[in-house]
Amino acid sequence: MSFDFNIPLSVRDLVKSGGINQYVVQDVSSVRQLGAQISGFRAALRSKGPLCILEHFDTPYSVLYHFQSAEPPLKEETLELLVQVVSRLSSALPAQLDDASLDSAQRRDLLNTVKMSCFLLSKLAESFENDAFKPGIVTATSKV
């Protein structure tokens, strides 16, 4: 898998075709498919660790893409999984980068993993924050 993840200006920019070797989202899952996709992401995280984001980026991206219509428990589970990815990555990264046997492709995979997981986590947290603080409709009761 040889690509470079460039942090986009807009979340939606990742579904547009990119430059040579630039990562582009291949499959935005429908809202109905998200539950099964998140289960697969969770299993991959357990078996492959944080590098699973290289193969499963499209799943949390789909939750982000459909944030307004996705079910709250699914959004929360996605957030928890991304926190696990970043946490495990931050624990393992110093030793991995100090490994002299790491080749350039492995270093690129680590860099892409850091950028992809941090991008998803920050954008998902931002979506939760925007959702929590969006102005609601205030109705005033009138006294007659």
Side-chain angles (χ1 to χ4, degrees):
M1 185 178 314
S2 179
F3 63 84
D4 293 315
F5 183 79
N6 295 322
I7 297 173
L9 295 175
S10 164
V11 171
R12 305 271 183 192
D13 288 346
L14 282 173
V15 295
K16 300 174 184 170
S17 63
I20 297 171
N21 292 334
Q22 186 176 337
Y23 184 80
V24 176
V25 172
Q26 300 297 312
D27 181 35
V28 177
S29 300
S30 70
V31 174
R32 289 187 343 201
Q33 297 171 314
L34 290 176
Q37 296 293 328
I38 291 297
S39 294
F41 178 45
R42 184 183 332 99
L45 178 58
R46 273 195 300 260
S47 65
K48 296 180 181 179
L51 289 174
C52 75
I53 204 75
L54 296 171
E55 296 174 13
H56 292 272
F57 178 88
D58 292 5
T59 298
Y61 177 85
S62 295
V63 173
L64 186 58
Y65 190 90
H66 296 297
F67 189 83
Q68 294 304 318
S69 54
E71 294 294 323
L74 191 67
K75 296 186 285 192
E76 292 166 8
E77 182 177 4
T78 304
L79 181 65
E80 289 171 13
L81 290 170
L82 289 171
V83 167
Q84 288 179 36
V85 168
V86 171
S87 176
R88 290 172 62 181
L89 185 60
S90 67
S91 296
L93 197 58
Q96 290 174 324
L97 292 176
D98 285 341
D99 185 354
S101 66
L102 205 63
D103 66 23
S104 62
Q106 292 169 313
R107 283 187 184 276
R108 183 180 48 245
D109 285 349
L110 284 172
L111 178 60
N112 283 333
T113 300
V114 168
K115 291 193 300 186
M116 294 169 101
S117 57
C118 289
F119 169 77
L120 286 168
L121 182 59
S122 64
K123 288 299 184 183
L124 194 59
E126 184 179 284
S127 295
F128 273 108
E129 186 176 284
N130 290 340
D131 200 43
F133 294 111
K134 73 178 170 191
I137 298 174
V138 178
T139 57
T141 57
S142 61
K143 295 183 180 181
V144 181

